[in-house]
Amino acid sequence: MTSFFSKPLLGLSAALVLMGCGSTALVSTPIESIDTTPLKISDLSDAQKKNWGHLDLVSDTIPGMSVDKAYAEIIKNKKGETVIVAVLDSGMDLKHEDLDDVLWTNKGEKAGDGIDNDKNGYVDDIHGYNFLGESYNEQLEATRIVRLKLGDASLQAKAKTKVDTEYAKALQQKQQYEQIFQTVKNADDAVKKELGKDLYTAKDLAGIETTDEGMLQNIAILTQMLSYEDSIPEVLEQVEAGVKHFSDQLNYNYNVNFNGRKDVGDDPYDINDLGYGNGNPQNRQEDESHGTHVAGIIGAERNNGKGANGVANNVAIMSIRAVPNGDEYDKDIALGIRYAVDNGAKVINGSFGKSFSPEAKWVYDAIKYAAEKDVLFVHAAGNEGADLDDPANPNFPNDQVDNGPEIADNVLTVGALSSKYGSEMVASFSNYGDVNVDVFAPGDEIYSSMPGNEYEFQGGTSMASLAVAGVAALIRSYYPKLTASQVKHIIMESGLAPTTKVILSGDASKTATLDEVSTSGKIVNAYNALIMADNVSTGKIKL
């Protein structure tokens, strides 16, 4: 949801310059190659805005992943293997025009016969599985801890404090958004009457000649709103989305009397209570769009004249519906990871996260299982603008406990970049952490698929995570002998490494270099990653 409320970098260096390896060298970006007045998204054409994450830093001065360059110069005439990528999310529009030809299909299952034909434990799972049944709205895990008295007294007290505090905040913010909506709507109605037309510009507002204090106030309000969006209807749409967001928090997320799981019928805190859900991972409601949007980032059909291009061209997307409008259950995530692994996925994306995880061990065990089966798990860092290395900001699932050693070497955690190259390059909402965030990738204002053959710009570390999952899928497609661990380290080591400080959390007083707020200190680069993958696969370098 859009919120209402510096000098450029001077140079980049590659993690490794492979001169003398007998192949194309990794890109190293010298100071003289970077424009001192970098472009930002508002400077781009509509086509470039919709594709900025695929652009190249050197030629476009945009911190994209050089995806288009990789296709043009590295894999143009190569044929790769199909890679199954599991999107562990909110379900997706399986009928979308830009996704329908890239869906994973379980050939061992017969659709609609109510029989587990392939004996994998899941009935009618043609394109994936739905662990949520027909449920959608959910509590957050902290609320469930309070309602069900999970864990010890300390955990319950911590959860109750969180719920009480956040409920009060949501109530206040809902009221504020409702007031903003009514104020803007009243001003809009008055100005439309004054101008005699329904649509107007900032120039039209400036041209109104009046001494009426009420009208002057209306003009000032609407002029300010037009600095956030291109039109007042768009402003009102965003404010309405805010009202709904906080209403959902009050009605479901922080409501201790709500039980969103009752329609599913299982005990979500019993990992052995199986057989729930169904084989239809289609999104259930119009606003259940997250899974569709992120799926398009990784695998929307390329160059078909529709929507946007996915990062990877040889993918089969497996839809696993396990993330509701609230916090996901540890049980669903653990079983979803195992389902993906057992049914052939080589990359799993998890664009979700939560601050309480009473059964985190189930998820850790599933991640270790994926590692044993050579499956990469890519995870979004989260959107609180927080330092995940601070114990006060937990974000589950992760690949270590209490900032200790990694439990497995198959997890990549991804922070988000904005399109503005320079000190504002890290998206203001993105979480960060030297231990807990591995890399950064494009994640702000990303254009992708939406339910009903629609398309939209959205932002979040979710979008950055899928971009990196797409790069991982490219590597596993063209260099299938590389392991999940090798793919992880290739992505981390082949990126571009900014050396100047970036602003964190949108707070200009809080700055750091990327190597201080991520393990690699890199922004992901598909072009470099494929070059390094080739060198690793041929034994010319060792990670």
Side-chain angles (χ1 to χ4, degrees):
M1 181 182 67
T2 299
S3 174
F4 287 154
F5 300 96
S6 118
K7 295 181 180 179
L9 297 178
L10 295 178
L12 297 173
S13 62
L16 211 42
V17 181
L18 304 179
M19 306 303 284
C21 291
S23 67
T24 306
L26 289 173
V27 171
S28 177
T29 312
I31 293 173
E32 59 270 20
S33 297
I34 301 301
D35 191 337
T36 57
T37 55
L39 295 172
K40 53 185 182 294
I41 196 87
S42 59
D43 298 321
L44 303 181
S45 67
D46 286 343
Q48 288 174 318
K49 288 178 184 178
K50 293 176 180 179
N51 193 51
W52 79 261
H54 292 202
L55 299 182
D56 179 69
L57 181 59
V58 176
S59 59
D60 304 305
T61 327
I62 293 291
M65 300 193 304
S66 303
V67 175
D68 292 344
K69 182 178 181 179
Y71 275 97
E73 298 182 19
I74 297 178
I75 55 179
K76 183 177 182 180
N77 297 312
K78 294 182 179 179
K79 183 176 177 60
E81 296 183 4
T82 298
V83 175
I84 299 172
V85 179
V87 178
L88 188 55
D89 213 281
S90 63
M92 53 185 271
D93 184 357
L94 304 173
K95 302 174 184 177
H96 196 285
E97 63 182 5
D98 227 4
L99 298 171
D100 54 0
D101 287 342
V102 294
L103 298 177
W104 170 73
T105 299
N106 183 357
K107 296 179 181 178
E109 197 76 5
K110 183 178 180 181
D113 67 354
I115 300 172
D116 181 13
N117 305 105
D118 61 358
K119 308 298 182 186
N120 71 347
Y122 297 91
V123 176
D124 292 340
D125 55 322
I126 303 301
H127 298 301
Y129 199 73
N130 169 24
F131 287 94
L132 300 179
E134 301 310 306
S135 69
Y136 173 56
N137 292 309
E138 253 300 347
Q139 293 175 317
L140 298 189
E141 194 70 70
T143 314
R144 297 195 287 254
I145 290 171
V146 174
R147 176 170 65 89
L148 299 172
K149 295 181 171 56
L150 301 174
D152 59 22
S154 175
L155 179 65
Q156 291 175 29
K158 185 177 179 181
K160 188 176 189 307
T161 299
K162 175 77 170 180
V163 171
D164 291 347
T165 301
E166 295 303 324
Y167 186 94
K169 285 182 182 177
L171 180 60
Q172 181 182 40
Q173 290 175 307
K174 175 178 177 288
Q175 292 170 343
Q176 289 176 343
Y177 269 71
E178 287 173 335
Q179 291 171 356
I180 292 171
F181 180 85
Q182 197 57 55
T183 299
V184 174
K185 189 176 186 308
N186 290 343
D188 182 48
D189 289 342
V191 165
K192 286 192 292 190
K193 183 177 180 180
E194 175 74 17
L195 291 173
K197 57 183 179 180
D198 289 337
L199 293 176
Y200 51 86
T201 65
K203 185 177 180 180
D204 292 330
L205 288 173
I208 296 176
E209 296 182 1
T210 181
T211 58
D212 180 78
E213 289 188 9
M215 182 56 66
L216 288 171
Q217 186 176 21
N218 291 334
I219 294 170
I221 291 168
L222 297 173
T223 300
Q224 181 183 8
M225 292 298 107
L226 287 175
S227 69
Y228 302 128
E229 297 289 349
D230 292 334
S231 70
I232 297 303
E234 289 176 289
V235 171
L236 291 172
E237 181 180 351
Q238 292 294 338
V239 180
E240 279 189 300
V243 172
K244 182 183 184 306
H245 172 72
F246 294 116
S247 295
D248 283 353
Q249 288 192 340
L250 294 169
N251 294 332
Y252 312 118
N253 300 160
Y254 293 112
N255 180 1
V256 294
N257 297 313
F258 178 71
N259 179 9
R261 193 69 171 193
K262 62 182 179 181
D263 292 335
V264 181
D266 72 317
D267 179 354
Y269 294 97
D270 180 358
I271 193 69
N272 296 310
D273 184 6
L274 305 174
Y276 66 99
N278 60 57
N280 180 14
Q282 173 79 25
N283 65 300
R284 293 306 195 263
Q285 300 193 25
E286 184 178 350
D287 65 351
E288 190 179 10
S289 60
H290 189 272
T292 304
H293 192 273
V294 297
I297 293 169
I298 188 171
E301 298 168 42
R302 291 186 61 84
N303 304 317
N304 64 349
K306 300 175 182 178
N309 287 337
V311 172
N313 62 343
N314 292 322
V315 292
I317 299 176
M318 176 190 293
S319 177
I320 301 177
R321 185 172 182 261
V323 182
N325 183 31
D327 275 347
E328 60 280 359
Y329 284 89
D330 295 324
K331 175 183 174 181
D332 295 342
I333 298 306
L335 293 178
I337 291 172
R338 290 177 180 273
Y339 175 90
V341 171
D342 291 342
N343 288 280
K346 300 304 290 181
V347 179
I348 302 171
N349 186 83
S351 287
F352 47 78
K354 58 184 181 179
S355 55
F356 290 82
S357 183
E359 300 296 346
K361 185 179 184 302
W362 295 346
V363 181
Y364 290 147
D365 287 346
I367 289 173
K368 293 176 185 176
Y369 178 71
E372 292 168 3
K373 300 294 184 179
D374 192 35
V375 180
L376 184 70
F377 182 71
V378 186
H379 184 235
N383 304 326
E384 293 76 30
D387 179 2
L388 297 185
D389 293 351
D390 183 341
N393 303 316
N395 183 54
F396 296 96
N398 51 21
D399 60 352
Q400 46 71 34
V401 179
D402 298 330
N403 292 339
E406 293 183 345
I407 61 170
D409 196 27
N410 67 323
V411 179
L412 265 174
T413 302
V414 186
L417 299 172
S418 74
S419 61
K420 189 173 183 180
Y421 170 61
S423 62
E424 298 176 42
M425 186 167 57
V426 171
S428 61
F429 54 77
S430 181
N431 288 345
Y432 54 91
D434 180 44
V435 174
N436 285 278
V437 176
D438 293 310
V439 291
F440 283 86
D444 193 18
E445 295 187 87
I446 303 298
Y447 189 73
S448 187
S449 46
M450 294 286 283
N453 295 332
E454 298 292 333
Y455 302 87
E456 189 177 291
F457 289 95
Q458 289 190 0
T461 57
S462 292
M463 291 71 204
S465 180
L466 263 298
V468 176
V471 175
L474 278 177
I475 296 171
R476 303 214 81 170
S477 172
Y478 291 96
Y479 303 96
K481 293 183 180 180
L482 294 177
T483 67
S485 174
Q486 287 176 313
V487 172
K488 168 184 175 175
H489 288 284
I490 286 169
I491 290 172
M492 291 177 66
E493 294 182 23
S494 65
L496 300 178
T499 57
T500 279
K501 292 183 180 296
V502 293
I503 296 171
L504 304 171
S505 312
D507 182 352
S509 68
K510 188 187 299 183
T511 63
T513 54
L514 278 193
D515 62 351
E516 295 174 320
V517 293
S518 65
T519 304
S520 70
K522 308 284 173 53
I523 61 177
V524 173
N525 188 279
Y527 180 85
N528 278 3
L530 287 168
I531 294 171
M532 184 177 281
D534 183 75
N535 281 274
V536 174
S537 67
T538 56
K540 293 176 180 176
I541 65 169
K542 291 184 179 181
L543 295 170

